[in-house]
Amino acid sequence: MDGRNSMPERSALEVKPGVEGGHDGMKVTPKKFRKKKQEQIDIQKLAGEVREGARTSLSKAITLIESSNPEHKEQAQNLLQELLPYTGNSIRIGITGVPGAGKSSFIEAFGSMLCNMGKKVAVLAIDPSSSLSGGSILGDKTRMEELSRNRNAFVRPSPSAGTLGGVHKKTRETMLICEAAGYDVILIETVGVGQSETFVRGMVDFFLLLVLTGAGDELQGMKKGIMELADGIIVHKSDGDNIPKARKTVREYMQILHFLQPATPGWMSKALPASSLEKTGLKEAWEMICQFETTIKESSYWETRRLEQTREWFQSMIVDHLIDSFFNDRDKKTQVKALENAILKGEITVTQGVLKLFS
Amino acid sequence: MDGRNSMPERSALEVKPGVEGGHDGMKVTPKKFRKKKQEQIDIQKLAGEVREGARTSLSKAITLIESSNPEHKEQAQNLLQELLPYTGNSIRIGITGVPGAGKSSFIEAFGSMLCNMGKKVAVLAIDPSSSLSGGSILGDKTRMEELSRNRNAFVRPSPSAGTLGGVHKKTRETMLICEAAGYDVILIETVGVGQSETFVRGMVDFFLLLVLTGAGDELQGMKKGIMELADGIIVHKSDGDNIPKARKTVREYMQILHFLQPATPGWMSKALPASSLEKTGLKEAWEMICQFETTIKESSYWETRRLEQTREWFQSMIVDHLIDSFFNDRDKKTQVKALENAILKGEITVTQGVLKLFS
């Protein structure tokens, strides 16, 4: 039971993947029956169970939040509104890493340490491009086995590739649900390529970057601008013979960080060595984060940033809605394509294209 | 005459700043008379004059492009369409620099060298935040005096702070006009703060960053991510006693560039020393740009990037239009503000806010 309670329990909601994805050609359950089942969700009761820390209820709540079924959407928002007053009390940590940096093993070791310190730790994943990165599917079942079994931990696997679109937009809401469920530390892992780091940076208090030894080689494969988002850098796999090399790499990163503007005003980003294998440097990483929390709460930027993040989230959702509803309009799409072709052929100017589109 | 032919000749179009800015409280010319004057612009004739290289006509054409008068807008687009077939034959170079790097003196020395090599050089400026950066106003009249007097050069001063909104959106079109007028090299200078570098990177082939000696100190004040946009870095003021220090800085930048992904696929960004005072390194800078042109044209990425830039320009203008017309709607603005307050107070969820806004 323990090892599984973090899996999305879709059955509890009678939501079939096919229904969620909008392809209902496969449904066998009569519509009436399904509807009746859905109506049985008692939002008040579910909210109460979530707050009491019932893990199956938490899984159920998150599945409801992630569902794209229109009826679920309304229920999800009602649930979220019930829980809103109990949110905001965690420390939100974003974790990213260069390929091969050992993100999962770090989260497992780091999260287990926090759990053993008595913290309740939730692990979420954001993967805006899940359909492109097949790697995470394979890993879902086996990764973070130790942490998943810890009673203080809740590990939400990243959504399987291709089955759910736009789930990343729900990570913020999932985070709020976890906070209402009493989780003290939320670890949000970036998965996949693209803009995931920027998404995560926009919803966390502290952003941690995992790298390997040999800054030069690493940095070449590193995504543009990623170092400038980090409040802390962990030089991972600093164990055995690798320790002297890791120390050198820490110094190199400290030097580069010195060149960059701080990711958080009032905080000088730091680099530290750590090993998940030898369980070293994990305590120091947590101390760095605690020091960050104290410093930034003192400067009152902590709350300012969170309000700003919520405001930006609202603005970006408005803009997303405007753009989606425009570009998803089939007529507009055809018109844009035709005008784009005319522009690329040099037949009309870009401004003329825009004027024609909105005339 | 020579020193002034690059100034915007607004009088030729009878456009008063007040009219351009949309504040028509000051207009004294009777409307009928103004209208008659405007209709006198013979677009075909103006296009012909621009193509023949008449500088007053070029200034007149740019002023027409920059005008926000609705009638001018249509004429401007007709003019641009006339000239479109003759555009695209220049090399487009963006130039930015850390504060104090001596951008103007570099452009003056570099541009003059190119003119003396027989190239026709146009200098444009982009300043998306002109109302914030008062510095450029003072400099407009005196800067680049030598280059302005060169018969192969066309120096367009940056728009005065505060008088014209959104002129930066016209820099691309101004660039096209200059190309039709036969300019071989377009230098686009970033002015002011904010997003100007990203704007410029999105419209040029080669992006040049000017820095001073002492990479460490410099980088601290450097805008985030700016080095990653650069195809080349010039360590400026490499003259006199400063030469050894400049050489060291070049090595430091080369090392940092080695860590970063190339700004242009297939090109390894380089750092070079140069002095506008002693006129050294300018030839080498030009050779680097020519080498870049050869390399990137061979890989066919040259044309790919330009088409991609045009496509992105069209897309971004569509998105701008969608966002502007939404957020400029007074009712919507009030509604957004009220919902935002409810969200920040924790009364409703962000998703509920968006649903309410579009219901």
Side-chain angles (χ1 to χ4, degrees):
Chain A
M1 164 94 200
D2 262 329
R4 287 167 167 255
N5 60 7
S6 59
M7 297 295 288
E9 285 162 66
R10 299 227 168 86
S11 60
L13 282 168
E14 288 289 321
V15 185
K16 299 238 157 49
V19 176
E20 279 192 54
H23 314 290
D24 45 9
M26 292 285 284
K27 66 187 173 196
V28 283
T29 329
K31 206 173 176 181
K32 214 185 235 170
F33 178 69
R34 273 176 50 239
K35 193 151 187 179
K36 206 172 156 216
K37 273 270 183 179
Q38 282 167 15
E39 278 166 1
Q40 281 174 355
I41 304 176
D42 183 336
I43 294 299
Q44 296 263 342
K45 186 167 166 280
L46 183 58
E49 288 164 1
V50 166
R51 286 194 53 216
E52 280 160 19
R55 287 151 67 122
T56 33
S57 303
L58 177 56
S59 286
K60 197 168 158 179
I62 296 175
T63 303
L64 186 66
I65 291 286
E66 287 178 353
S67 170
S68 59
N69 179 314
E71 279 175 72
H72 286 167
K73 276 189 181 178
E74 205 191 316
Q75 291 173 327
Q77 291 310 312
N78 291 339
L79 175 67
L80 204 55
Q81 193 166 24
E82 282 289 322
L83 295 174
L84 264 188
Y86 311 102
T87 62
N89 299 317
S90 78
I91 175 160
R92 303 163 180 173
I93 303 170
I95 300 183
T96 192
V98 300
K103 245 185 318 169
S104 292
S105 62
F106 177 81
I107 292 174
E108 168 127 306
F110 186 64
S112 298
M113 178 194 72
L114 294 177
C115 286
N116 298 338
M117 285 164 66
K119 304 273 176 204
K120 282 188 76 181
V121 179
V123 181
L124 310 177
I126 193 165
D127 185 1
S129 53
S130 53
S131 59
L132 288 170
S133 61
S136 56
I137 321 164
L138 201 71
D140 271 350
K141 278 175 193 166
T142 50
R143 73 197 195 105
M144 301 184 201
E145 259 185 279
E146 188 197 330
L147 186 60
S148 296
R149 276 196 296 270
N150 195 307
R151 50 187 289 276
N152 280 337
F154 176 81
V155 181
R156 180 79 180 174
S158 56
S160 300
T163 55
L164 294 165
V167 163
H168 68 282
K169 288 182 183 168
K170 306 297 174 64
T171 306
R172 285 177 201 257
E173 297 186 341
T174 301
M175 177 174 80
L176 296 176
I177 301 272
C178 290
E179 287 182 342
Y183 285 86
D184 307 299
V185 181
I186 316 281
L187 301 179
I188 302 180
E189 184 189 359
T190 64
V191 183
V193 291
Q195 291 294 305
S196 50
E197 293 82 13
T198 318
F199 274 120
V200 172
R201 174 74 269 185
M203 65 177 83
V204 298
D205 306 309
F206 189 95
F207 196 59
L208 191 68
L209 170 65
L210 259 62
V211 298
L212 293 168
T213 51
D217 301 334
E218 272 314 310
L219 273 160
Q220 283 190 63
M222 206 178 274
K223 281 177 218 168
K224 285 188 180 186
I226 196 166
M227 270 189 65
E228 286 149 326
L229 301 175
D231 296 305
I233 293 176
I234 295 293
V235 180
H236 200 208
K237 304 188 184 176
S238 168
D239 35 42
D241 294 347
N242 212 21
I243 293 176
K245 218 174 148 193
R247 284 206 186 121
K248 186 171 169 282
T249 307
V250 165
R251 281 195 302 275
E252 285 168 3
Y253 274 104
M254 284 298 273
Q255 205 172 355
I256 298 168
L257 283 173
H258 180 71
F259 289 155
L260 304 174
Q261 284 199 25
T264 302
W267 175 253
M268 181 65 210
S269 301
K270 288 175 180 54
L272 295 173
S275 163
S276 299
L277 194 70
E278 300 182 353
K279 312 261 187 285
T280 52
L282 304 175
K283 214 175 124 255
E284 288 76 7
W286 176 242
E287 279 166 2
M288 167 173 68
I289 294 168
C290 292
Q291 196 197 335
F292 173 90
E293 187 179 6
T294 310
T295 309
I296 305 306
K297 277 188 173 165
E298 266 172 18
S299 80
S300 86
Y301 185 69
W302 186 275
E303 193 52 26
T304 307
R305 172 183 261 166
R306 283 196 172 183
L307 287 176
E308 199 44 52
Q309 285 176 340
T310 303
R311 194 179 286 119
E312 278 168 14
W313 177 21
F314 183 44
Q315 298 275 337
S316 77
M317 277 191 74
I318 295 172
V319 169
D320 279 358
H321 188 280
L322 286 171
I323 294 171
D324 285 356
S325 54
F326 182 85
F327 286 100
N328 286 337
D329 181 309
R330 226 172 131 171
D331 290 348
K332 288 285 173 203
K333 226 190 244 169
T334 317
Q335 224 183 325
V336 167
K337 200 68 215 158
L339 289 167
E340 194 177 279
N341 285 337
I343 290 166
L344 294 181
K345 280 185 204 153
E347 292 167 3
I348 59 167
T349 69
V350 166
T351 304
Q352 280 170 333
V354 175
L355 291 174
K356 279 186 188 177
L357 201 56
F358 294 101
S359 63
Chain B
M1 167 90 201
D2 260 331
R4 287 167 167 254
N5 59 7
S6 58
M7 296 295 286
E9 285 161 65
R10 300 228 168 85
S11 59
L13 282 168
E14 287 290 321
V15 184
K16 298 234 159 49
V19 176
E20 281 192 54
H23 315 288
D24 45 9
M26 292 287 284
K27 67 184 173 200
V28 283
T29 328
K31 206 174 177 182
K32 214 185 240 172
F33 179 68
R34 274 175 51 237
K35 195 156 185 177
K36 206 171 158 219
K37 274 269 186 182
Q38 283 166 15
E39 277 164 3
Q40 281 174 356
I41 304 176
D42 182 337
I43 293 301
Q44 296 263 343
K45 187 167 166 279
L46 184 57
E49 287 164 2
V50 167
R51 285 194 54 216
E52 281 159 19
R55 287 151 67 121
T56 33
S57 303
L58 178 56
S59 287
K60 197 168 156 179
I62 296 175
T63 303
L64 186 65
I65 291 286
E66 288 179 351
S67 170
S68 58
N69 179 313
E71 280 175 71
H72 286 167
K73 277 188 180 180
E74 204 191 318
Q75 291 173 327
Q77 292 309 314
N78 292 339
L79 173 69
L80 204 55
Q81 193 167 24
E82 283 289 322
L83 295 174
L84 264 188
Y86 311 102
T87 62
N89 300 316
S90 79
I91 174 159
R92 303 163 181 174
I93 304 170
I95 300 183
T96 193
V98 301
K103 245 185 317 170
S104 292
S105 63
F106 178 81
I107 292 173
E108 168 126 307
F110 186 65
S112 297
M113 178 195 72
L114 294 176
C115 286
N116 298 339
M117 285 164 67
K119 305 273 176 203
K120 282 189 76 181
V121 179
V123 181
L124 311 177
I126 194 164
D127 185 1
S129 55
S130 53
S131 58
L132 288 170
S133 62
S136 56
I137 321 163
L138 200 72
D140 270 352
K141 276 173 195 168
T142 50
R143 74 197 194 106
M144 301 184 201
E145 257 185 282
E146 188 196 329
L147 186 61
S148 295
R149 276 194 299 269
N150 195 307
R151 50 187 287 279
N152 280 338
F154 177 79
V155 181
R156 180 79 180 173
S158 56
S160 301
T163 55
L164 294 165
V167 162
H168 68 281
K169 289 182 182 168
K170 306 298 174 64
T171 307
R172 284 177 201 258
E173 298 187 339
T174 302
M175 177 175 79
L176 296 176
I177 301 271
C178 290
E179 287 182 343
Y183 285 87
D184 308 299
V185 181
I186 316 280
L187 302 178
I188 303 180
E189 184 190 359
T190 65
V191 183
V193 290
Q195 292 294 305
S196 50
E197 292 83 13
T198 319
F199 273 120
V200 172
R201 173 73 269 186
M203 65 177 83
V204 298
D205 305 310
F206 189 97
F207 196 60
L208 192 68
L209 170 65
L210 259 63
V211 299
L212 293 169
T213 51
D217 301 334
E218 272 313 309
L219 274 161
Q220 284 191 60
M222 207 178 275
K223 281 177 220 170
K224 285 189 180 186
I226 196 166
M227 270 189 66
E228 286 149 325
L229 300 174
D231 295 305
I233 293 177
I234 295 292
V235 180
H236 200 209
K237 303 188 184 176
S238 168
D239 35 41
D241 294 348
N242 212 21
I243 292 176
K245 217 173 147 193
R247 283 205 188 124
K248 185 170 171 283
T249 306
V250 165
R251 281 195 302 274
E252 285 168 2
Y253 274 103
M254 283 298 273
Q255 207 172 358
I256 298 169
L257 283 173
H258 180 71
F259 289 156
L260 303 175
Q261 284 199 24
T264 302
W267 175 253
M268 181 66 211
S269 301
K270 287 175 179 54
L272 293 173
S275 163
S276 299
L277 194 71
E278 299 181 355
K279 311 262 186 286
T280 53
L282 304 175
K283 215 174 125 256
E284 288 76 7
W286 178 241
E287 279 165 3
M288 166 173 69
I289 294 168
C290 292
Q291 197 196 333
F292 172 90
E293 187 179 6
T294 311
T295 309
I296 305 306
K297 277 188 173 166
E298 266 171 18
S299 78
S300 85
Y301 185 69
W302 186 274
E303 194 53 25
T304 307
R305 173 183 261 166
R306 282 196 173 183
L307 287 177
E308 199 42 56
Q309 286 176 339
T310 303
R311 196 179 284 119
E312 279 169 13
W313 177 21
F314 184 44
Q315 298 276 336
S316 76
M317 276 190 75
I318 294 172
V319 170
D320 279 358
H321 188 278
L322 286 171
I323 294 172
D324 285 357
S325 53
F326 182 86
F327 286 100
N328 286 337
D329 181 308
R330 226 172 132 171
D331 289 349
K332 289 284 173 204
K333 226 189 246 170
T334 315
Q335 225 183 325
V336 167
K337 199 70 215 157
L339 289 167
E340 193 178 280
N341 285 338
I343 291 166
L344 294 182
K345 280 185 205 153
E347 292 166 4
I348 59 168
T349 69
V350 166
T351 304
Q352 281 170 333
V354 175
L355 291 174
K356 280 187 187 176
L357 202 56
F358 293 101
S359 63

